[in-house]
Amino acid sequence: MLPKPDRIFARDFEWRHLAAFVERGADSVQFGVVSGRRRQGKTFLLEALTREANGFYFGATQATEAESLNLFAAALSGYSGTAAPMRFADWDEAVRQLFAVADATGRPIVIDEFPYLSKASPALPSIVQREVDRAISEGGRLALLLCGSAMSVMGGLLSGSAPLRGRATLELVVKPFDYPLAARYWKVSDPTLAARLHAVVGGTPAYLRFLNGDVPGALDDFDDWVLRTVLDPGTPLFREARYLLEEETDVRDAALYHSVLAAVAAGNNTRGGIASYIGRKAADIGHHLNVLEDSRLLRREPDVFRPGRSVYRVAEPLITFYQVIMRPQWGLLESGRAEAVWADAASRFRSQIMGPHFEELCRQFASVEPVFGGLPGEVGAGALTDHARRTQIQVDVAVFAPAVPGQPRKVLSLGEAKWGDVMGGRHIERLRRARDLLAEKGYDTRETVLACYSGAGFEPALRSEGDVRTIGLAELYA
């Protein structure tokens, strides 16, 4: 199997699948799709893969069909070492020649940013499908990877009645680094600083390069780091959140989509709340929500206690930071008034960014390890109605055991997360009441652990409670 180059940080899972794909393609037909939001390192991975395997890599650009064919022909000619440059009349001819080269060499073929090509040439997926089927029937060999960042397009390549449905032997999504891995990548060991940094840049690897390796040296450098990086009009990160939306092919009215994202970032995370915030009817924004979901810029999360209800959350931390901090004061930021804008935004950063982001980190923590006595089956958030007290209890981190048919749903843990509050008895009282309400509804709560997650610490008495577990930043990042 191809060894992973030392210059690639982490990505062991992705490399293992890609290397196995290339190995299988040396004597059989393999077709795969690699997708992921921009800046996650897909191109970096695939260029390294083709370099290690002496394969062919073609990165498409936004161009007409004729220009794309000329660029593709030049690249394939250079790779094949033909005496005369290739010329293709259409993609039908180009793909046949590409498959002939792949069959002759047994080496991997990568076409990056495939959505640029398929947008200008809608028949291209059908042409690829026909040639894949032909290669299979003739016993050829092929390791073809199509890659792209337009998530709505890439997601549709293998879905429904799409021509390539059922042909893929690999479907790989390159995701952002999770929060502990992101801290290692940025070489930040202070968990408080790591959490704040992640709330701005998330786990996107390319942002470190965007900032020329500029990392806050300590917690007291964080504010200065924000001013000299994401709020500085001279850095690529300053406009990145805008580009993430505008690069999506299905976005037509960018202003409306920005308003939807702003509504969710501000805490209006139900369909009705979003519609009210932007001044539209709930029925009128269904398409926009679907586009943002398909683009992986929004995610819809079910309320774990109320089937049929769900909330929307912004999937990219940088977009939340832009919508809450930057967009309302864009003119001042462009004119160099970042220090005043950042000082004014301190409370919004804590409440609208760090608070919800910390809750999400806690849910991620609870979802990947058996930290509450059993492997989690579902982790989420939800609201319980307390009719007796005429109030609602919000549970930030609810952890369920895997469902067993015919048995009550077992609740492993109920948790509350507070970024800036020292947690104590009043928080546990709410969680105990939530546990009682769930028991009345028929849930199995006999071994439920009550969890307090805090970025600010805990009252001493809390640690002596037998059914309570306290989880701070040090444990989240352990």
Side-chain angles (χ1 to χ4, degrees):
M1 188 171 290
L2 291 173
K4 189 186 77 169
D6 293 338
R7 64 184 179 276
I8 297 177
F9 177 82
R11 298 302 190 198
D12 295 331
F13 172 85
E14 292 85 350
W15 186 266
R16 175 166 56 85
H17 281 279
L18 290 170
F21 178 87
V22 169
E23 191 172 281
R24 294 193 304 268
D27 53 17
S28 65
V29 175
Q30 300 291 311
F31 167 70
V33 172
V34 178
S35 61
R37 293 207 319 268
R38 296 188 185 279
R39 325 294 190 242
Q40 304 309 322
K42 302 182 300 300
T43 296
F44 187 66
L45 268 174
L46 295 176
E47 284 183 334
L49 183 77
T50 52
R51 192 177 298 115
E52 293 294 318
N54 296 317
F56 171 69
Y57 173 89
F58 176 71
T61 59
Q62 290 180 311
T64 64
E65 182 177 62
E67 185 184 10
S68 294
L69 278 168
N70 289 337
L71 293 171
F72 181 79
L76 192 59
S77 297
Y79 175 73
S80 304
T82 55
M86 295 181 184
R87 293 285 186 271
F88 300 128
D90 51 33
W91 279 110
D92 200 66
E93 183 182 350
V95 172
R96 284 201 304 270
Q97 182 60 38
L98 176 68
F99 277 52
V101 170
D103 187 62
T105 63
R107 296 170 183 166
I109 300 292
V110 173
I111 299 179
D112 200 359
E113 295 301 351
F114 184 75
Y116 288 152
L117 301 181
S118 62
K119 182 179 180 181
S121 310
L124 186 52
S126 296
I127 295 171
V128 173
Q129 170 254 311
R130 184 197 65 204
E131 294 304 315
V132 167
D133 290 349
R134 180 179 297 172
I136 293 172
S137 65
E138 294 177 356
R141 54 181 182 173
L142 172 74
L144 172 63
L145 287 168
L146 303 182
C147 179
S149 302
M151 297 301 292
S152 55
V153 177
M154 298 304 295
L157 279 180
L158 304 177
S159 65
S161 58
L164 288 166
R165 177 173 171 79
R167 271 72 178 182
T169 56
L170 175 69
E171 186 175 3
L172 185 65
V173 179
V174 180
K175 300 178 181 179
F177 294 145
D178 61 28
Y179 71 92
L181 192 58
R184 284 178 46 205
Y185 180 71
W186 285 75
K187 298 180 180 178
V188 174
S189 57
D190 182 333
T192 303
L193 176 58
R196 289 189 185 182
L197 183 66
H198 195 270
V200 179
V201 297
T204 299
Y207 293 162
L208 183 59
R209 179 176 55 82
F210 277 23
L211 302 178
N212 295 307
D214 187 351
V215 180
L219 192 57
D220 58 8
D221 183 41
F222 178 75
D223 289 337
D224 287 340
W225 176 84
V226 170
L227 293 174
R228 67 179 183 259
T229 57
V230 66
L231 296 186
D232 187 334
T235 66
L237 209 57
F238 181 74
R239 294 175 178 83
E240 173 67 8
R242 287 186 165 194
Y243 296 155
L244 287 173
L245 178 63
E246 291 163 2
E247 286 171 341
E248 288 298 328
T249 57
D250 288 342
V251 170
R252 297 291 183 265
D253 183 357
L256 182 54
Y257 285 93
H258 274 296
S259 293
V260 171
L261 290 169
V264 179
N268 305 281
N269 51 18
T270 64
R271 180 175 289 214
I274 297 168
S276 177
Y277 182 91
I278 66 175
R280 298 290 182 97
K281 295 180 180 178
D284 296 339
I285 63 171
H287 170 73
H288 304 86
L289 292 172
N290 289 337
V291 168
L292 290 170
E293 275 192 85
D294 291 343
S295 302
R296 308 290 176 91
L297 298 178
L298 271 188
R299 63 175 182 269
R300 182 163 53 92
E301 298 179 354
D303 184 315
V304 294
F305 302 124
R306 298 183 291 184
R309 298 192 183 187
S310 58
V311 297
Y312 290 90
R313 305 190 195 277
V314 179
E316 172 54 56
L318 185 64
I319 290 180
T320 302
F321 186 87
Y322 167 77
Q323 297 292 349
V324 173
I325 307 296
M326 301 174 69
R327 186 164 170 256
Q329 302 289 357
W330 189 253
L332 289 177
L333 289 171
E334 285 195 309
S335 64
R337 300 288 303 281
E339 192 168 349
V341 170
W342 182 235
D344 180 67
S347 62
R348 296 200 307 278
F349 180 72
R350 287 192 299 271
S351 63
Q352 295 183 38
I353 295 180
M354 283 310 311
H357 191 76
F358 181 65
E359 293 175 11
E360 176 57 27
L361 297 188
C362 296
R363 285 189 286 271
Q364 290 181 25
F365 168 82
S367 67
V368 296
E369 298 290 344
V371 291
F372 297 109
L375 194 66
E378 181 185 7
V379 177
L384 288 167
T385 301
D386 188 344
H387 295 288
R389 300 180 183 179
R390 297 182 179 180
T391 186
Q392 279 197 336
I393 301 174
Q394 179 66 37
V395 179
D396 300 322
V397 188
V399 185
F400 298 91
V404 178
Q407 295 185 17
R409 191 76 189 274
K410 185 175 183 178
V411 183
L412 296 177
S413 176
L414 298 173
E416 187 166 346
K418 297 296 182 185
W419 167 252
D421 292 350
V422 174
M423 300 188 73
R426 64 191 185 282
H427 302 98
I428 288 302
E429 182 182 347
R430 278 198 296 270
L431 291 174
R432 286 188 173 131
R433 179 59 180 164
R435 183 175 58 186
D436 292 343
L437 291 172
L438 289 174
E440 293 172 7
K441 291 176 177 289
Y443 288 82
D444 181 357
T445 62
R446 291 171 296 175
E447 299 177 359
T448 300
V449 176
L450 305 181
C452 288
Y453 305 82
S454 176
F458 309 93
E459 294 178 0
L462 204 59
R463 299 183 185 275
S464 62
E465 300 283 350
D467 59 347
V468 176
R469 179 168 175 183
T470 58
I471 301 169
L473 284 165
E475 187 168 355
L476 283 181
Y477 277 91

